[in-house]
């Protein structure tokens, strides 16, 4: 059971020393890790899928989950939301460099000068969430959600010599979604269904109707999506195939490249952030548009990208091996933090376990 950084590093050492080979038959090593989490009571169940550009390589259900189980995927929805915006950019409806004020003139302060690119890379200097004491962002429309973001103050970087800072959260993405609604004249859910869900045959995936977790959420681009394991696998396979799914282009290669490129630039990053904690990464170029750049090569190109969630859902693409993986699960109430367990920091070990499995199987 991987519950803290020490245990994480121990299993990584075993992987790269080759000492896990005796344990691994097929995909047993990665299956054992997921089963351990379920047996430990962190999740009622889980679904795991692994595939490459052509096919599914491995799929298994754990606990009370069935292959068709759908659940709230929290921040794993950021990747889906970013892809939805990217389709609109491909079609010329929006530009990643559009400023908020172009579509929302009521944002007459510094928040209006933020670009769509900054909204989706957490570098717009918006608050990450509604401040303590304010009504939580559980409104039923993006229009209402954005109306309650409008009066919030801009947040200055910790280093006063810089103009921007990276601050992981969700409120800025709400504004981006509202920009998309105004640009198209359609609701966010309609856009999402038309541009992503139907072309990718993701019939169990949606942002609305809103979920009921923790009192409900608005159609929250940064964390309100529901999906199933096979649905999200369609999305990951499309992304791995540079925007093509079953012979049909969903996203341009330019869009794929833009989404996974470094979008941090000269923004201030408070270290350590997620990639530093789970991969011991040394680089600052940790985020693209709606996804983490967990690992990069010597030229700065991503070799491992992901969109982990606090709830346990963890989608990733490993370019070194040409594979994708997705763990669909949801943390049980009261289990986050028990025995130092964090779904957000535990799930990424699966990507390295998969590398070990692939190496041992070949």
């Amino acid at each position: 059971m991987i519950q803290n950084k020490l245990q994480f590093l121990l299993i990584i050492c075993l992987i790269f020393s080759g000492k896990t080979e005796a344990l691994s038959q097929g995909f047993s090593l990665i299956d054992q890790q997921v089963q351990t989490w379920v047996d430990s009571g962190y999740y009622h169940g889980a679904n795991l899928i692994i595939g490459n550009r052509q096919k599914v390589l491995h799929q298994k259900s754990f606990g009370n989950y069935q292959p068709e189980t759908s659940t709230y995927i929290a921040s794993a929805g950021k990747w889906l939301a970013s892809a939805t915006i990217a389709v609109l950019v491909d079609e010329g409806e929006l530009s990643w460099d559009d400023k908020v004020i172009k579509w929302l003139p009521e944002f007459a302060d510094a928040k209006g000068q933020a670009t769509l690119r900054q909204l989706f890379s957490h570098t717009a200097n918006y608050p990450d969430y509604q401040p303590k004491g304010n009504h939580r962002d559980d409104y039923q429309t993006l229009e209402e959600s954005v109306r309650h973001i409008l009066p919030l103050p801009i947040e200055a970087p910790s280093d006063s010599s810089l103009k921007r800072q990276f601050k992981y959260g969700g409120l800025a993405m709400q504004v981006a979604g509202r920009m998309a609604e105004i640009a198209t004249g359609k609701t966010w859910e309609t856009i999402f269904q038309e541009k992503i869900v139907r072309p990718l045959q993701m019939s169990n995936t949606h942002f609305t109707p809103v979920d009921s977790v923790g009192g409900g959420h608005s159609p929250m681009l940064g964390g309100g999506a529901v999906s199933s394991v096979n649905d999200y696998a369609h999305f990951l396979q499309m992304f791995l195939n540079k925007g093509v799914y079953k012979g049909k282009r969903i996203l341009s290669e330019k869009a794929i490249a833009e989404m996974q490129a470094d979008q941090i630039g000269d923004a201030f990053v408070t270290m350590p952030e997620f990639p530093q904690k789970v991969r011991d990464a040394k680089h600052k170029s940790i985020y693209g548009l709606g996804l983490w750049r967990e690992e990069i090569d010597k030229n700065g190109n991503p070799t491992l990208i992901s969109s982990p969630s606090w709830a346990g859902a963890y989608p990733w693409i490993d370019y070194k091996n040409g594979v994708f993986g997705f763990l669909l699960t949801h943390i049980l109430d009261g289990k986050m933090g028990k025995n130092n367990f964090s779904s957000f920091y535990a799930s990424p070990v699966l990507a390295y376990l998969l590398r070990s499995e692939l190496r041992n199987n070949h």
Side-chain angles (χ1 to χ4, degrees):
M1 180 167 48
I2 302 170
Q3 296 177 352
N4 55 45
K5 188 172 182 179
L6 180 61
Q7 289 170 305
F8 181 90
L9 292 173
L10 175 61
I11 196 165
I12 295 305
C13 290
L14 288 173
I15 289 171
F16 286 99
S17 68
K19 294 181 179 179
T20 58
E21 187 168 358
L23 295 175
S24 182
Q25 296 178 352
F27 292 91
S28 61
L29 186 61
I30 195 169
D31 286 347
Q32 288 169 16
Q33 180 56 70
V34 177
Q35 187 65 59
T36 296
W37 289 330
V38 174
D39 291 345
S40 298
Y42 298 124
Y43 311 116
H44 278 312
N47 277 325
L48 175 70
I49 194 167
I50 296 161
N52 60 22
R53 291 179 175 88
Q54 292 79 38
K55 61 184 180 180
V56 171
L57 302 174
H58 177 66
Q59 186 167 2
K60 185 170 182 178
S61 295
F62 304 81
N64 66 358
Y65 273 44
Q66 302 298 319
E68 65 275 11
T69 298
S70 297
T71 192
Y72 168 63
I73 60 173
S75 287
K78 288 180 170 68
W79 203 343
L80 302 180
S82 177
T84 307
I85 296 291
V87 175
L88 298 182
V89 173
D90 275 345
E91 295 175 349
E93 298 275 10
L94 290 169
S95 165
W96 286 116
D97 296 313
D98 279 350
K99 292 184 177 180
V100 172
I101 196 169
K102 176 179 178 179
W103 300 101
L104 296 166
E106 62 270 30
F107 278 74
D109 62 359
K111 294 195 298 298
Q113 297 303 306
T115 64
L116 191 59
R117 182 187 309 278
Q118 292 167 348
L119 297 175
F120 256 91
S121 59
H122 308 292
T123 60
N125 293 349
Y126 279 47
D128 45 3
Y129 303 102
Q130 279 287 352
K132 186 176 181 180
N134 284 20
H135 192 287
R136 58 173 289 165
D137 187 42
D138 59 0
Y139 307 105
Q140 299 301 293
T141 67
L142 284 176
E143 182 178 12
E144 188 177 13
S145 173
V146 168
R147 192 161 61 243
H148 288 82
I149 295 171
L150 181 62
L152 298 180
I154 203 78
E155 296 193 349
S158 302
D159 185 333
S160 60
S161 68
L162 299 173
K163 295 181 179 179
R164 298 186 299 130
Q165 65 178 341
F166 175 83
K167 191 169 186 180
Y168 187 72
L171 283 188
M173 290 182 178
Q174 298 296 80
V175 176
R178 183 60 183 152
M179 290 167 68
E181 289 185 332
I182 294 171
T184 62
K186 300 175 181 179
T187 66
W188 173 257
E189 183 67 17
T190 299
I191 301 166
F192 177 59
Q193 293 291 322
E194 287 181 357
K195 306 303 182 183
I196 298 295
V197 169
R198 288 200 283 273
L200 288 173
Q201 300 173 344
M202 299 171 65
S203 57
N204 296 310
T205 304
H206 56 84
F207 282 88
T208 56
V210 296
D211 72 274
S212 58
V213 177
H217 299 79
S218 60
M220 187 184 292
L221 277 66
V226 169
S227 192
S228 67
V229 69
N230 287 306
D231 276 16
Y232 211 112
H234 295 174
F235 174 80
L236 292 171
Q237 191 172 60
M238 175 275 293
F239 208 91
L240 185 57
N241 279 308
K242 298 182 179 180
V244 174
Y245 179 71
K246 291 187 174 180
K248 181 179 180 181
R249 180 158 295 283
I250 311 300
L251 285 171
S252 68
E253 289 192 36
K254 180 180 178 181
I256 298 290
E258 192 78 3
M259 288 174 65
Q260 61 190 16
D262 170 31
Q263 299 293 340
I264 298 297
D266 60 359
F268 178 79
V269 178
T270 302
M271 299 292 193
E273 264 291 354
F274 172 74
Q276 285 82 25
K277 289 183 178 180
V278 300
R279 302 287 176 229
D280 196 29
K282 306 301 181 184
H283 65 97
K284 194 188 79 168
S285 58
I286 56 177
Y287 207 81
L289 297 168
L291 58 87
W292 292 93
R293 290 158 47 91
E294 284 194 30
E295 180 185 272
I296 61 174
D297 64 20
K298 62 182 180 180
N299 297 316
N301 299 310
T303 53
L304 181 63
I305 58 176
S306 68
S307 188
S309 77
W310 67 267
Y314 177 64
W316 78 94
I317 290 177
D318 179 357
Y319 285 116
K320 284 186 175 180
N321 291 284
V323 294
F324 68 82
F326 180 47
L327 174 69
L328 177 72
T329 190
H330 198 282
I331 191 81
L332 296 178
D333 289 345
K335 297 299 183 179
M336 181 64 74
K338 185 176 181 180
N339 299 324
N340 296 318
F341 183 78
S342 164
S343 298
F344 191 77
Y345 292 115
S347 297
V349 75
L350 299 179
Y352 275 180
L353 292 177
L354 176 56
R355 285 182 176 176
S356 178
E357 305 274 24
L358 294 173
R359 185 169 56 252
N360 292 334
N361 290 338
H362 295 285

